Amino acid sequence: MSIQQTEIVIIGAGPAGASAAALLRQKGHQVVIVERQHFPRFSIGESLLPQSMVFLEEAGLLDTVREHVEEFAFQYKNGASFLRGQQRSFYDFREKFSDGPGTTWQVRRANFDHLLARQAEAYGADIRYGHEVLAVDVDTAQPILTVRDEAGESYQIQGKFLLDASGFGRVLPKLLDLESPSDFPIRRAIFTHIEDGINDQPDFDREKILITVHEKDHRAWYWLIPFADGRSSFGIVAEQDFFDHYGYTGDDSAEALEALFKKILQDEPALSQVLSQAKFDTPVRTLVGYSANVKHLAADNYALLGNAGEFLDPVFSSGVTIALKSSSLAVPLVERVLQGETVNWMQDYEQPLREGIQVFRAYVESWYNGEFQDVVFSPKQQVQIREMISSLLAGYAWDVNNPIHKNAKRRLSVIAEYCREASANMLALEQ
Ligand code: FAD
């Protein structure tokens, strides 16, 4: 079998792969993306963070998104709302500590990802839809991939560098035995798109994602991500025992999942009220055990981008932002490799990328152990602290100037303690 040659091979045309390709093409490099699906294709993860706007702009991808906002009913987004029983709270991302955009969009990922991929093609990337990577050889200086095309024919392609942006496909982690267990418990998400029927509800703000904590089990939470056309992405996340308690039988048919989802929702009076006119009209799906990690994110001739590396948890909508950040960090290093330089991938890619991921991780852990929920729902929050938290919720997890960036976990605990005491004092004063 003859081996095709190119400069960079990328596996996957999601946000990580498309943005890496766009950046590389604008620097004049030859890029082939092998993508096993045809776009537009469904992907979960519709709520972007303002930090992602910086990376989209840098990759020359922001204009195309902006131009299609109306066509695809992308929803302007400026923050996050939270609901727990009768408690309500929100963060406005425009009021934040870090510099940079404070707004973004909630997007149907099928359209959004397709726009990015089409723009990467417009820059000259060769995207091979319907082609699946079957095997990889990274023992040669220049990696060789075995790919099966749509006709079922196999071919090989060799690049000077390989970027794995295969998301939950996790091609290199699986083929090279790089998987390392996530330290999060296994969680399941059940989700769909709905006709939300939300009209003129004074407490509901379409310009914010709504995160609702399950009233009886604070480990479980719902997302409601409105689009601009009266529809929303709607999902619930919890550990398996929560779903078992509601009678989950292992039947993952759309009908069984919809019945389960509606049964759980009945226990949530405030959210049920918001969605009292909603219509479930799209098959309900489920994903389980999506949190993942790897032993290392790069070697001399390959690097893992986005979800192919580490995926934490959906609660703070960090996935696309991390995917775009990974491309932004990796591409200048790939260029140095192409120029014959030796790159210290650990120092210049893995450490800086993981630094921000660790901050998100601290927030996710603190959310599930209840500390961050107590911060969010505290009626007593200093303005400066709110702005620092707002920055992180807006995705600015790499801003080392943010005082709560360093030792994020410990600092969150301290803030939570302060908020709990302040709330208790307020209650005592009211009585
Ligand atoms: P992907 O977007 O998954 O793209 C990978 C591509 O690789 C796919 O198109 C796939 O077809 C292709 N591929 C896979 N295997 C192969 C192969 N063998 N050969 C060729 N091609 C292959 N993120 C947010 O930012 N906001 C959210 O609100 C949000 N909500 C989420 C909710 C849930 C329940 C989950 C599980 C995740 C959520 N995420 C969210 C995360 C987000 O979906 C991902 O982080 C994001 O899609 C990562 O982009 P990526 O480019 O790394 O991978």
Side-chain angles (χ1 to χ4, degrees), residues 12 15-16 35-37 41 44-45 47 109 133 166 307 317 319-320:
E35 166 56 60
R36 73 174 165 196
Q37 298 191 59
R41 54 96 177 91
I44 193 63
S47 192
R109 287 286 304 280
V133 174
S166 60
N307 269 184
S317 310
V320 171

Side-chain angles (χ1 to χ4, degrees), residues 74-124:
F74 293 161
Q75 170 65 52
Y76 168 85
K77 171 185 173 185
N78 60 25
S81 300
F82 296 89
L83 179 61
R84 186 172 71 181
Q86 296 305 311
Q87 295 171 289
R88 284 170 189 273
S89 161
F90 72 88
Y91 285 83
D92 187 325
F93 295 159
R94 293 164 298 185
E95 293 157 13
K96 61 174 171 29
F97 173 87
S98 307
D99 293 335
T103 66
T104 184
W105 297 286
Q106 296 167 157
V107 297
R108 281 188 184 82
R109 287 286 304 280
N111 303 125
F112 175 78
D113 289 13
H114 197 198
L115 283 175
L116 304 194
R118 276 202 326 227
Q119 189 59 43
E121 280 181 302
Y123 287 129

Side-chain angles (χ1 to χ4, degrees), residues 11-17 34-37 39 41 43-47 109 113 131-133 165-169 171 189 223 225 287 290 305-308 311 314 317-321 323:
I11 312 173
V34 182
E35 166 56 60
R36 73 174 165 196
Q37 298 191 59
F39 282 21
R41 54 96 177 91
S43 173
I44 193 63
E46 297 91 346
S47 192
R109 287 286 304 280
D113 289 13
H131 290 216
E132 181 172 20
V133 174
S166 60
F168 295 115
V171 172
W223 76 75
I225 303 174
L287 271 176
Y290 34 73
L305 305 178
N307 269 184
F311 180 70
S317 310
S318 56
V320 171
T321 300

Side-chain angles (χ1 to χ4, degrees), residues 157-178:
I157 182 161
Q158 182 168 35
K160 294 181 177 143
F161 202 88
L162 170 62
L163 291 170
D164 181 7
S166 60
F168 295 115
R170 303 182 66 70
V171 172
L172 289 196
K174 284 179 186 158
L175 292 176
L176 303 183
D177 192 23
L178 300 178

Side-chain angles (χ1 to χ4, degrees), residues 95-278:
E95 293 157 13
K96 61 174 171 29
F97 173 87
S98 307
D99 293 335
T103 66
T104 184
W105 297 286
Q106 296 167 157
V107 297
R108 281 188 184 82
R109 287 286 304 280
N111 303 125
F112 175 78
D113 289 13
H114 197 198
L115 283 175
L116 304 194
R118 276 202 326 227
Q119 189 59 43
E121 280 181 302
Y123 287 129
D126 171 6
I127 306 187
R128 301 183 180 178
Y129 292 105
H131 290 216
E132 181 172 20
V133 174
L134 301 177
V136 178
D137 178 0
V138 291
D139 293 333
T140 54
Q142 301 192 355
I144 301 173
L145 282 76
T146 306
V147 179
R148 185 172 52 210
D149 69 17
E150 286 196 281
E153 301 290 329
S154 293
Y155 65 93
Q156 289 193 309
I157 182 161
Q158 182 168 35
K160 294 181 177 143
F161 202 88
L162 170 62
L163 291 170
D164 181 7
S166 60
F168 295 115
R170 303 182 66 70
V171 172
L172 289 196
K174 284 179 186 158
L175 292 176
L176 303 183
D177 192 23
L178 300 178
E179 299 270 17
S180 119
S182 159
D183 24 3
F184 289 134
I186 294 176
R187 296 195 171 94
R188 174 183 291 281
I190 296 181
F191 52 86
T192 187
H193 284 185
I194 54 172
E195 190 74 44
D196 60 50
I198 305 168
N199 296 313
D200 304 327
Q201 296 199 26
D203 283 339
F204 187 76
D205 182 355
R206 289 197 89 81
E207 297 180 350
K208 294 180 175 65
I209 182 175
L210 173 64
I211 305 281
T212 304
V213 179
H214 190 274
E215 209 172 334
K216 293 180 188 150
D217 185 340
H218 293 182
R219 297 171 306 156
W221 59 276
Y222 304 79
W223 76 75
L224 184 65
I225 303 174
F227 305 119
D229 56 0
R231 297 186 62 78
S232 288
S233 168
F234 184 39
I236 177 160
V237 172
E239 288 175 42
Q240 188 57 48
D241 64 296
F242 171 90
F243 293 108
D244 294 341
H245 167 78
Y246 277 97
Y248 175 76
T249 59
D251 180 354
D252 286 347
S253 66
E255 296 74 27
L257 291 170
E258 182 176 323
L260 178 67
F261 201 169
K262 286 180 171 167
K263 185 173 173 190
I264 300 169
L265 185 59
Q266 278 173 7
D267 267 355
E268 213 60 66
L271 187 57
S272 295
Q273 174 60 34
V274 172
L275 293 175
S276 57
Q277 305 297 316

Side-chain angles (χ1 to χ4, degrees), residues 48-82:
L48 303 183
L49 300 179
Q51 165 78 90
S52 66
M53 307 290 265
V54 176
F55 303 129
L56 288 170
E57 176 132 55
E58 179 190 87
L61 296 171
L62 189 54
D63 285 347
T64 185
V65 182
R66 208 176 261 140
E67 282 158 18
H68 292 84
V69 163
E70 278 188 28
E71 182 185 349
F72 294 127
F74 293 161
Q75 170 65 52
Y76 168 85
K77 171 185 173 185
N78 60 25
S81 300
F82 296 89

